[in-house]
Amino acid sequence: MTDMHAFKRAFIIVLDSFGIGAEPDAKEFGDGDCNTLRSIVASKEYDTPNMKKLGLFNIDGVGCGTPEAQPIGAFARLRELSRGKDTTTGHWEIAGIISERPMPTYPDGVPPEVIAELEKAFGRKIICNKPYSGTKVIHDYGREQKETGALIVYTSADSVLQIAAHEDDVPVEQLYEYCRMARKIMQGEHGVGRIIARPYVGEYPNYTRTPRRHDFSLDPTGDTMMDALARKGLATIGVGKISDIFAGRSISRTLGINKDNVDGMEKTLKLMDEDFTGLAFVNLVDFDMQYGHRRDIDGYAKASTVFDRQLGEFMVKMKDDDLLMITADHGCDPGAPGTDHTREYVPLLMYGKHVKAGLNLGTYPTFAMIGATISDIFGADLYTKGESLLPRIIE
């Protein structure tokens, strides 16, 4: 452990699905030549001068964009060691947990015996039970849901079970309770990463999902950087769906689900005005949910541009003892076939007064380098396969 007390606050911002190129085992996960960054850089909507200055296009193997002549940040490429390419697995690995077994997915729908158990617990019929787009499923099944009082259950390429219902028919708190029931049932062999409540409003054909989505995650299966910091009484603040991803464990405070990426960054910018010692862990999900899965290249590029402007505000507000880390949890190449996540390397951009500028750290075998570094910064013990980058980045 390195006794270096240069940092009081660390901010990790996860650009959900911002991959930077296929990993060597991408074919094992059904992916070809995927590169989320390469796809969006080609769009006329893409303009991220601040990330460029930090060294985004100087990262090994990126293969797109123009490298910065004199980067102001330290930068690295991280490979996922876990057997997955989903939100839960990626975030858990960032925090220090390596998932050696993939979480279950249901390309043909959840097995009938599990559906029967869920229907018995809910006291309601289940309809759909297929992989589906979240907006299309309520369009296709919304009228049947209203007519029958059934619950729309669907999944995706991720390890998830999603339960949708109209707020007029199933109050949101009741929908949350159904998800809690499902979470208790779906453990072990059927322990999907997340059970997700998907409330919606409106009339056919104009249904709209509401921001009252809520994720009910598995309890983390190992020690996390938040656990390590919590044992020392330090702040562990979640912005966006971080608390949901970690089932609330060792999150000292959550600022809740973001309305969108802009709202998430506004919350983060406001948080910078507070005096705390520890970690702020931020997830910006629109890159993935709104643009990656929908294969919207221009939308993804524009969202990156908007984030970069807010990043500029963030960098101006940073204090001398702040550390910024920007990364991702997997890829979701909007230029790739299908709608699934893509198995990609992720970037790690680090910036602060005490971070060596222009430092190319190369490629590392696990996202858990981040968790190890955070724990080292705060002198907290964490058991993980990641190694701290602190001795290398400290100015």
Side-chain angles (χ1 to χ4, degrees), residues 298-332:
D298 287 343
Y300 204 128
K302 188 173 183 179
S304 303
T305 298
V306 173
F307 164 73
D308 197 78
R309 291 178 191 147
Q310 290 184 291
L311 172 60
E313 295 178 50
F314 182 100
M315 291 165 67
V316 168
K317 291 187 72 170
M318 287 179 70
K319 297 179 179 178
D320 288 352
D321 51 5
D322 284 345
L323 170 66
L324 169 64
M325 305 175 87
I326 298 173
T327 191
D329 54 340
H330 50 72
C332 197

Side-chain angles (χ1 to χ4, degrees), residues 64-331:
C64 61
T66 304
E68 184 74 9
Q70 294 183 310
I72 61 174
F75 44 90
R77 181 173 68 163
L78 304 182
R79 181 177 177 180
E80 186 164 14
L81 186 57
S82 298
R83 295 297 296 173
K85 56 174 182 177
D86 61 87
T87 294
T88 301
T89 303
H91 280 78
W92 283 12
E93 184 162 331
I94 288 169
I97 297 172
I98 308 301
S99 303
E100 296 181 358
R101 294 182 181 179
M103 293 179 180
T105 56
Y106 299 104
D108 301 314
V110 178
E113 62 272 19
V114 179
I115 292 294
E117 195 172 351
L118 293 172
E119 287 182 328
K120 182 178 179 181
F122 299 159
R124 288 178 183 259
K125 183 183 175 185
I126 284 173
I127 55 177
C128 185
N129 186 29
K130 302 173 186 175
Y132 235 101
S133 154
T135 50
K136 194 169 188 302
V137 76
I138 57 178
H139 176 275
D140 292 355
Y141 287 89
R143 285 183 294 182
E144 183 179 354
Q145 190 273 313
K146 190 162 189 66
E147 291 166 2
T148 64
L151 296 172
I152 302 170
V153 167
Y154 64 105
T155 184
S156 73
D158 290 353
S159 181
V160 296
L161 180 86
Q162 307 192 71
I163 307 177
H166 198 292
E167 290 190 3
D168 289 349
D169 303 321
V170 180
V172 172
E173 286 302 326
Q174 181 61 58
L175 184 60
Y176 292 168
E177 183 57 29
Y178 289 141
C179 289
R180 292 186 190 99
M181 293 176 184
R183 180 72 283 169
K184 290 179 181 177
I185 290 168
M186 299 192 75
Q187 300 285 331
E189 178 188 356
H190 297 294
V192 291
R194 291 172 293 156
I195 308 287
I196 306 176
R198 289 289 197 177
Y200 61 92
V201 294
E203 299 292 332
Y204 179 84
N206 299 312
Y207 295 121
T208 304
R209 296 197 293 187
T210 75
R212 289 176 282 279
R213 160 192 172 150
H214 190 62
D215 294 23
F216 298 80
S217 293
L218 280 177
D219 286 333
T221 56
D223 206 21
T224 71
M225 62 186 174
M226 289 82 76
D227 295 328
L229 268 59
R231 288 192 290 267
K232 297 205 69 170
L234 300 172
T236 53
I237 304 168
V239 180
K241 61 180 185 177
I242 294 297
S243 182
D244 286 351
I245 292 168
F246 291 90
R249 197 175 86 190
S250 294
I251 304 294
S252 62
R253 176 183 167 202
T254 181
L255 302 189
I257 297 298
N258 302 326
K259 295 176 185 175
D260 50 31
N261 282 354
V262 171
D263 178 53
M265 281 303 294
E266 286 176 350
K267 288 174 179 174
T268 305
L269 288 165
K270 188 175 180 181
L271 184 61
M272 296 183 79
D273 296 328
E274 299 184 16
D275 182 24
F276 67 90
T277 302
L279 171 68
F281 198 179
V282 182
N283 172 274
L284 302 178
V285 74
D286 284 3
F287 295 110
D288 182 55
M289 183 174 69
Q290 297 293 344
Y291 309 113
H293 284 300
R294 298 179 185 183
R295 295 313 195 234
D296 181 354
I297 293 174
D298 287 343
Y300 204 128
K302 188 173 183 179
S304 303
T305 298
V306 173
F307 164 73
D308 197 78
R309 291 178 191 147
Q310 290 184 291
L311 172 60
E313 295 178 50
F314 182 100
M315 291 165 67
V316 168
K317 291 187 72 170
M318 287 179 70
K319 297 179 179 178
D320 288 352
D321 51 5
D322 284 345
L323 170 66
L324 169 64
M325 305 175 87
I326 298 173
T327 191
D329 54 340
H330 50 72

